[in-house]
Amino acid sequence: MKKTHFLVSMLALALFSSCQNGDENDNESLRKEQVHAKTVNVTNHDGRPFSTGSGSVAGKFISGPGGGVMMQGFYWDVPEGGTWWNTVKDKLTAWSDSGISAVWLPPASKAQNGAYSMGYDPTDYYDFGNFNQNGSVETRFGSRTELEALITKAHAENMQVYADIVINHNSGGQSQANPFTGTNTWTDFSGIASGKFQRSYNDFYKNSYGNNDEGAFGGFPDLCHANPYVQDWLWGRDDSVGKYYKNVMKFDGWRFDYVKGFGPWVVNNWNSNVGGFSVGELWDSNVNTLEWWANNANSSVFDFAAYYKMDEAFDNGNLNILNDDMMWKRNPYKAVTFVANHDTDIINNKMPAYAYILTHEGYPTIFYRDYEEWLNKERLNNLIWIHNNKATGTTSILYTDNDEYIARRNGYNGNPGLVVYINNSSSWQERWVETNWSSKQIKDFTGHSGWYPTTQGDKWVKIQAPPNSYSIWSLNQ
C-alpha cells in the first residue's frame, strides 16, 4: 500500500465525511520448479539484438526450466479516466512474447474515492466498475467489462492474473452509533450497491470480539477477521470474496496488502478455502519475520530482506552484503523478489539488481515503469529470457568483494545452469571461477562480452564482466 499519498488522500476524505494455477499445492510445485531452475538456461529470444544461442518461438508464454516472471501491471497514480485496464490488455501479447508469465493488477473493486482511487480504500468488494456508487460507475481503472476482457486476454496468452487483496481495512461506510466506542463510527456498509458482504460496527474493531488485532492502518475501520461472519464472506461461502474473484472473475492468485495488520492465519485460511497463487506484503527486512509469516500463512512473501540488501550492494558499493541472509536463501519456493514497486523505489542502480533477481532463486517481479518507461527493455527481455531458460538449480556464491559478485546456478534435470558476474567497478574485471562444465565452450548470453572460452577439465575458466554492468555465462548451445 502507498503510505504517503494514500494517507493524505484518506485524511481529506475523513474530513469530508468526518487498503500459478489452481491451489496452493500447485503454487508450491511451481516455486519448486523455479528453484531448481536457479542457474541460467539460454537460447536466443526472438527480437533480441544479442547473439545468445539458437532461436526460440515468440508467442504465448510457455514455462521453461527457470519458471516464469511476474509483471506488476501498475504504478502509483496511473492515469485516471477508466483507461488502465485497456492499457494493460493491449500490452499482454508483448509481455507474453517476452516471457512474462503473470500480471499483478491493482485493487479492482470500488473504493471510497471512486474514479480517483487507487483501490486501497475498499468499499464494495463486488463492484468492479458496474455500480453507480462513490461518485462513479467505473473505477479509476475502467469498467467490469474491460477488466474481464483483460483477464480473458491474459489467459489466452497463457498468463496468470493476480488480484491485489485489501482486507485489513475498509473505507466509505456511513456513520452509525457504535455501542463499543460510545461514538459514531464510519462502519455502516449496509447500503453497498452489490448487496454482498454488508457490514456494520460489530465487523470492525473494537467490538464484541475484542479491542484490536495485530494492526490497524491510518485510522480506517479495521476489519475484524475473528468474526465468523467476516470469515464466511471473505473465504467461506460459495460467493465469498475469494471464491467470487477466483470462480467468477477468474483471477488466478492474490497479492495480500498490509499483512502486518492481521495474523498469518487469515491468509492461510483464504488459501486453504480458495486456492491460487499467494504472496503477502510483509514490509519487514528481518528474514526471520518473513520466514515465520510465510510458513504460518502457507504463502509466498515479498523478499524485503533481499530488497534492502540490493540497495546497499548496488547503490553503496558493498557487494559483500549479498552474502547476508535473505528469504530466497531460506525458502526460494516462497520468496518473491523485486527491485521496485508502487510503494518503494530506492534502488538507483537497477540493471544489476534485475540481473541479480533474474538469475537467482525465487519468483522475480518486474515493475511496470522500469519495463515500459525507465530502463532498457531489450536488456530486461534478455534477462527475462535467461531466467526462464537457464536459471535452474541451487545457487553457489563463488566470489565477492565490494565491487564484484559471482554466483553459479548449479543446473537441474539436464539444464546446465549459469554463472553470473556483476561488476560495480569502473573498469572491466576478470576472474577464474569453477563452473558446472568440464571441457565445454561457454559464452556470455547478455552479449556484453565477446569471449568464447573453453572450460578446463577441472571445470575452471576465466570470465570477464564490463564496468558497472554484468555478464551471464552458460554453455554455447
Side-chain angles (χ1 to χ4, degrees), residues 105 108 128 147 151 161-163 245-246 249-254:
L105 299 181
F128 297 94
L147 172 61
I151 296 171
V161 185
Y162 303 150
Y245 276 50
K246 185 180 183 187
M249 299 302 295
K250 304 301 183 182
F251 282 103
D252 305 289
W254 330 105

Side-chain angles (χ1 to χ4, degrees), residues 265-335:
W265 65 270
V266 172
V267 172
N268 195 321
N269 274 273
W270 178 296
N271 290 337
S272 297
N273 284 272
V274 179
F277 172 77
S278 169
V279 59
E281 181 214 21
L282 185 69
W283 200 322
D284 198 310
S285 63
N286 188 318
V287 67
N288 293 318
T289 304
L290 297 173
E291 183 182 37
W292 166 84
W293 187 89
N295 289 340
N296 284 278
N298 189 27
S299 172
S300 296
V301 66
F302 284 106
D303 194 346
F304 277 92
Y307 175 70
Y308 287 108
K309 298 298 182 187
M310 287 190 293
D311 178 48
E312 176 68 20
F314 301 124
D315 286 347
N316 297 311
N318 183 18
L319 268 60
N320 279 315
I321 204 169
L322 297 177
N323 290 304
D324 286 3
D325 208 359
M326 305 174 195
M327 183 62 194
W328 72 258
K329 298 182 182 182
R330 292 283 184 94
N331 188 345
Y333 313 126
K334 292 186 175 179

Side-chain angles (χ1 to χ4, degrees), residues 391-409:
T392 62
T394 56
T395 302
S396 300
I397 297 176
L398 304 179
Y399 178 84
T400 64
D401 61 25
N402 284 344
D403 292 328
E404 298 174 61
Y405 173 88
I406 307 175
R408 183 180 70 226
R409 293 296 298 276

Side-chain angles (χ1 to χ4, degrees), residues 200-366:
S200 67
Y201 58 77
N202 202 43
D203 302 314
F204 300 90
Y205 289 109
K206 65 182 184 177
N207 57 11
S208 62
Y209 295 90
N211 292 334
N212 59 273
D213 58 1
E214 282 77 3
F217 183 82
F220 305 122
D222 186 22
L223 201 59
C224 174
H225 304 91
N227 186 338
Y229 174 83
V230 173
Q231 296 176 22
D232 203 32
W233 270 107
L234 287 181
W235 61 73
R237 52 191 291 156
D238 288 343
D239 61 344
S240 65
V241 173
K243 292 177 182 176
Y244 192 93
Y245 276 50
K246 185 180 183 187
N247 299 327
V248 178
M249 299 302 295
K250 304 301 183 182
F251 282 103
D252 305 289
W254 330 105
R255 180 267 187 187
F256 289 96
D257 180 69
Y258 193 64
V259 298
K260 280 188 173 183
F262 45 88
W265 65 270
V266 172
V267 172
N268 195 321
N269 274 273
W270 178 296
N271 290 337
S272 297
N273 284 272
V274 179
F277 172 77
S278 169
V279 59
E281 181 214 21
L282 185 69
W283 200 322
D284 198 310
S285 63
N286 188 318
V287 67
N288 293 318
T289 304
L290 297 173
E291 183 182 37
W292 166 84
W293 187 89
N295 289 340
N296 284 278
N298 189 27
S299 172
S300 296
V301 66
F302 284 106
D303 194 346
F304 277 92
Y307 175 70
Y308 287 108
K309 298 298 182 187
M310 287 190 293
D311 178 48
E312 176 68 20
F314 301 124
D315 286 347
N316 297 311
N318 183 18
L319 268 60
N320 279 315
I321 204 169
L322 297 177
N323 290 304
D324 286 3
D325 208 359
M326 305 174 195
M327 183 62 194
W328 72 258
K329 298 182 182 182
R330 292 283 184 94
N331 188 345
Y333 313 126
K334 292 186 175 179
V336 176
T337 52
F338 67 102
V339 173
N341 64 31
H342 63 296
D343 278 334
T344 179
D345 190 5
I346 62 173
I347 298 174
N348 294 313
N349 195 13
K350 286 183 174 181
M351 284 307 300
Y354 276 113
Y356 181 82
I357 69 169
L358 286 161
T359 56
H360 286 63
E361 296 168 67
Y363 187 9
T365 306
I366 308 293

